[in-house]
Amino acid sequence: MHDLHQSVIRILNVKGQTLGAGFVISDHLAVTCAHVVNDVGSNYDQPIQIQFFTNEHQQTAFVLKAGWSPRDADDVAFLQLEQLPPGVVPVVLGSAEKCSEHSYRSFGFAKLAGYDTRWARGTLDGVVFVPDKHKQSMLQLKGDEIKGGMSGAPVLDTQTNRVVGMVSEYKDDDHSRIAWATTTDTLLNLASPLLQDHPTLRLWPEAYGPVEQEQYLQYLITSNEMLFLPDGRDVLLERIYVSLRADEMNAAERQAEHNLYLKDVAALKDLVNSSGEDQYAEDDAIRRTISHRPIMPSLQARNRPRQSGEREHRLLSLAEVVKINRYVVILGDPGSGKTTLGKWLVLQYARALLQGKVQVQVRADQVQPGARADQPINLGPARLPVLIRIADYAHQLDKKRGGDKLPIENFISFRWNDNDGPYDLPFGLAADTINAMVKDYLMQGRTLVVLDGLDEVGNPKQRRAVMQAVKSFIQAQPATLAKNNEWLGNRLLLTSRIVGYQFDPLTDLPHYTVEDMDETAISAFCRAWMAHVVEAKEAEKQGKQLKDAIFNHAHPGV
């Protein structure tokens, strides 16, 4: 159970006397009652003295105007804190909406005998409507032990282990005392102007909390930060990662080439006098068509002028492609870096979320080879990353599941319960916990889904099922656009080899083909690689030698 000692603060007057309580809700934010702030002689936009209960460390906090609600309204004040001292932990907030009949505990500073600290416990009666239009609904609780000095104290629901309210008032009713708390739902509503600077401030579901999320994000980082080389060694991905560039494909060309594939397949079936229901003949015709024309004619035509040095299209880095497109398909040859891109994105997004960042900031030289490393580039809002091998998804589609078509959003969670899958659960985390976390982020529209390796699904029927599932997932997403022209909601990246993709394309989505590394990218990679395999004093020299060898036409094998 959460130790409230680690989160509760004293609100002090100028004489150092305790006049009320408060509690820490994020790394730099605490909350208390507005009337407590007024009682110590302060107001919003003014400093106030506080003391952390767990270590008696005193600090000057600043009462924020944002979120302030006076004592005759919701009675809430947010305090801007300095760095938290060791041992102080923010509470885990949860909604008060479904806590009726749960038991609670609270800790504050009501005097009793010679002591000025007090535990209070009782039963949560539930959220009650308040007729005052200036005040939101309140959480009513049996408050026999609530008294003056408890104002601002957290109310911990012992069943969910979530703080669901803040003690604000009490009144004797015949032979018992009734107390009321400002709900955490109200606190988050008032704190909306502060969320941009405090991204970890949220109402956590019962199924998982910040500890479980931290474990899962650390697992994602550990699982994707290394590249394993053929010689058995491994290397940090970011030490040698160089972002490639991609060229946008024309949607009309994609549709025309898809129609051409279908005509060729129909013609081949006619040659063998096959009926439309002969699945074997259709699959054979598809494979023969792909082998006859594995690369789209438009790509072959587009590559001809490039071989003579011309550049007719605007090229973007793969990271920029993901940023500007809500849903996108990346096509490339084997070994062109599609899977590495997915791992790199998972690493960046997981790290940003773990660090409580609002936006994903990455080193410029990892997005634009040749750029300065100290110039960060913004990839957009932090999201929970999910990396899925499409072959694993297709395998589950192929299994009998009682008629269930297994939508992608279900598989994202389901796979952790799959006994056949190669998924090792992070230590201390249950599959149901991860499932709840992923589903929660999907519902919030805060997920980056990377579907890697469509080309690994060789069965045409399975490919069609996968593509239909992707289309259904996209169609189910609400279309929302932020004020700064940044797409909100879940994002999806699908990767595939070029060969054969045109038979079942997602024609409505933006498509980009991975370009060969240019001289700048090759130079960046050579330097990074040699920094990994040789001593630092030799890295620059040998990196240049490797680059010169690559561009030496006398040695095309290099």
Side-chain angles (χ1 to χ4, degrees), residues 398-468:
D398 203 39
K399 292 172 66 175
K400 293 182 179 179
R401 307 200 56 78
D404 183 7
K405 294 183 179 180
L406 190 58
I408 285 179
E409 54 267 34
N410 289 356
F411 174 75
I412 290 172
S413 298
F414 161 81
R415 68 190 185 123
W416 295 102
N417 282 321
D418 179 22
N419 293 328
D420 298 337
Y423 309 108
D424 297 322
L425 287 172
F427 178 76
L429 278 181
D432 289 343
T433 301
I434 300 177
N435 293 347
M437 189 184 309
V438 173
K439 286 182 178 179
D440 184 42
Y441 270 86
L442 282 169
M443 290 180 62
Q444 295 179 51
R446 297 179 58 205
T447 308
L448 170 69
V449 180
V450 179
L451 299 177
D452 183 48
L454 177 65
D455 51 272
E456 296 180 24
V457 183
N459 185 300
K461 184 177 180 181
Q462 283 185 326
R463 283 174 67 104
R464 288 195 194 96
V466 170
M467 298 303 251
Q468 185 55 53

Side-chain angles (χ1 to χ4, degrees), residues 17 31 41-42 60 109 151 234 265 305 316 321 323 369 398 437 470 481 538 540:
Q17 298 170 320
V31 66
S42 190
T60 300
F109 304 107
S151 291
D234 53 24
V265 170
L316 297 174
V321 165
K323 177 183 178 181
D398 203 39
M437 189 184 309
V470 172
L481 190 64
E538 292 290 321
E540 187 69 26

Side-chain angles (χ1 to χ4, degrees), residues 289-355:
T289 300
I290 292 173
S291 63
H292 174 67
R293 190 170 56 252
I295 306 297
M296 288 88 79
S298 64
L299 283 183
Q300 293 176 318
R302 192 178 303 173
N303 286 336
R304 293 190 190 107
R306 292 182 187 173
Q307 293 169 1
S308 61
E310 298 178 26
R311 291 283 174 178
E312 298 179 350
H313 298 269
R314 185 171 70 97
L315 300 178
L316 297 174
S317 75
L318 293 181
E320 291 171 320
V321 165
V322 174
K323 177 183 178 181
I324 65 176
N325 294 285
R326 189 178 181 190
Y327 313 116
V328 66
V329 178
I330 301 291
L331 301 176
D333 294 324
S336 61
K338 303 181 300 296
T339 296
T340 305
L341 168 67
K343 291 172 67 70
W344 182 81
L345 286 170
V346 168
L347 184 61
Q348 305 307 320
Y349 277 77
R351 186 178 291 151
L353 209 57
L354 181 63
Q355 295 173 352

Side-chain angles (χ1 to χ4, degrees), residues 251-272:
E253 290 175 347
R254 293 197 309 272
Q255 186 62 59
E257 290 172 339
H258 175 55
N259 295 338
L260 187 60
Y261 266 85
L262 297 181
K263 289 180 180 179
D264 284 357
V265 170
L268 284 171
K269 287 178 64 178
D270 288 342
L271 284 176
V272 296

Side-chain angles (χ1 to χ4, degrees), residues 2-3 55 116 131 222 444 512:
H2 184 70
D3 183 2
N55 56 17
D116 75 339
T222 303
Q444 295 179 51
Y512 291 81

Side-chain angles (χ1 to χ4, degrees), residues 216-243:
Y216 181 59
L217 292 173
Q218 191 59 60
Y219 161 79
L220 292 178
I221 293 170
T222 303
S223 302
N224 291 282
E225 65 183 353
M226 306 299 295
L227 286 179
F228 300 97
L229 307 180
D231 62 2
R233 294 183 298 168
D234 53 24
V235 56
L236 284 170
L237 183 152
E238 289 179 295
R239 288 193 62 178
I240 62 171
Y241 178 79
V242 176
S243 178

Side-chain angles (χ1 to χ4, degrees), residues 26 122 172 276 375 400 486:
S26 77
D172 292 327
Q375 295 177 337
K400 293 182 179 179
E486 176 74 48

Side-chain angles (χ1 to χ4, degrees), residues 102 154 266 279 343:
H102 293 182
Q279 187 64 51
K343 291 172 67 70

